[in-house]
Amino acid sequence: MTTMRMIAAVAAAVLVPSLAAAQSIDWKKVDAALGKTASVSGEVHRYGLPRSDLHVTLDGVPIKPSLALGGWVAFAPMHGEAMVMGDLVLLDTETTPVMSKLLNSGLEITAIHNHLLRAQPATFYMHVAGHGDPEKMAAAIHEALSTGSKTPFEPPATTASAAPALDLDTAKLDEIMHAKGTATGGVYQFGIPRRDAATEGGMAVSAAMGGANAINFQPTGNGNAAITGDFLVTGDEVNPLIRALRDGDIEVTAIHSHMLDEQPRMFFIHFWANDDALKLARGVRAALDRTAVAQN
């Protein structure tokens, strides 16, 4: 389905009560088709696709999947069908095979780009979108990733031991960031929404659908952390934000779009640094304050 047709379908779906749409989808079948179990936020079903099979390093730092290798797809119910958006983490050799499979299934590619610089091996990020039968779209995504990449679908092996405590002053990070972070896979993560969500085809792009600032801290010892993620900004906010990041000695690694038809037009700013975690948090917060971010 073309982007314009997808938008028309989405816009039409706004007229139908979303609860009825949600109830008409058998999410267990969608789970089975994708080979994953979703995390549910409101009506959004989000599936994590971390590249735990990859061993990526940047400036000597081993990158945990939760820091920068966390692919995902998310489905939102729409008139008995669903809209899907996602971000797939791929090697260069995997990009074309996965793209071809997705296009052949009727899904759309909305962006391909880097997030990091100097990482070995280099990873790329493919954004996908579509509207239709969620079970069929989930099966198409599973087939594309299974045949075109080595993206794992089996859950990682777990041990009985508790997750180790993060070597970070998380209470102080929360205070500086004006938000409450979450420890996931050895990384301390913040998801900070904008004051007003962007819309795609008349529907709000929620945080679960990729519509929030994502800030990740991975401990590197002695109170230091490697940080990366992305800021979600309008065009007039791009340069004020990147100037603030550079003032905080934070490297800007990518500036690009993720979607095709959102309103207002949004840009995603990716970044990297490895330094004192509290210093970096102050730099990140100063950058956020240059944008229309939601205030707690």
Side-chain angles (χ1 to χ4, degrees), residues 75-109:
F75 295 78
M78 200 158 289
H79 195 33
E81 295 185 318
M83 177 173 69
V84 65
M85 298 175 70
D87 186 8
L88 311 178
V89 183
L90 302 169
L91 297 174
D92 55 356
T93 55
E94 298 172 337
T95 300
T96 297
V98 170
M99 177 192 292
S100 296
K101 285 283 189 180
L102 292 172
L103 291 174
N104 289 341
S105 73
L107 290 167
E108 293 193 333
I109 309 303

Side-chain angles (χ1 to χ4, degrees), residues 23-242:
Q23 290 175 337
S24 68
I25 297 173
D26 188 337
W27 289 108
K28 290 184 178 180
K29 289 184 178 180
V30 180
D31 290 356
L34 193 57
K36 289 277 187 177
T37 300
S39 61
V40 182
S41 176
E43 293 181 350
V44 176
H45 287 240
R46 180 170 169 131
Y47 299 84
L49 297 165
R51 291 304 300 265
S52 55
D53 59 309
L54 298 178
H55 302 283
V56 179
T57 61
L58 199 169
D59 297 343
V61 176
I63 303 297
K64 293 182 181 294
S66 299
L67 182 68
L69 304 174
W72 57 274
V73 291
F75 295 78
M78 200 158 289
H79 195 33
E81 295 185 318
M83 177 173 69
V84 65
M85 298 175 70
D87 186 8
L88 311 178
V89 183
L90 302 169
L91 297 174
D92 55 356
T93 55
E94 298 172 337
T95 300
T96 297
V98 170
M99 177 192 292
S100 296
K101 285 283 189 180
L102 292 172
L103 291 174
N104 289 341
S105 73
L107 290 167
E108 293 193 333
I109 309 303
T110 62
I112 301 174
H113 47 240
N114 68 292
H115 287 183
L116 304 171
L117 302 174
R118 305 181 302 280
Q120 295 294 327
T123 50
F124 298 88
Y125 302 79
M126 179 184 293
H127 291 265
V128 300
H131 177 264
D133 183 319
E135 186 180 350
K136 290 181 179 178
M137 292 192 296
I141 292 166
H142 184 277
E143 181 184 3
L145 291 176
S146 296
T147 61
S149 80
K150 294 184 179 179
T151 301
F153 283 86
E154 294 297 323
T158 58
T159 61
S161 60
L166 289 175
D167 182 21
L168 292 173
D169 187 343
T170 55
K172 189 65 176 178
L173 288 175
D174 290 349
E175 178 184 339
I176 295 169
M177 293 291 292
H178 303 171
K180 176 64 178 175
T182 303
T184 304
V187 174
Y188 202 58
Q189 300 180 328
F190 292 92
I192 301 177
R194 287 183 61 83
R195 187 181 308 143
D196 300 304
T199 61
E200 176 96 2
M203 298 294 290
V205 180
S206 67
M209 298 291 284
N213 298 279
I215 317 294
N216 301 327
F217 290 75
Q218 178 180 311
T220 54
N222 300 316
N224 291 345
I227 64 168
T228 192
D230 54 6
F231 296 90
L232 175 59
V233 298
T234 55
D236 61 331
E237 295 171 337
V238 170
N239 277 280
L241 181 132
I242 65 176

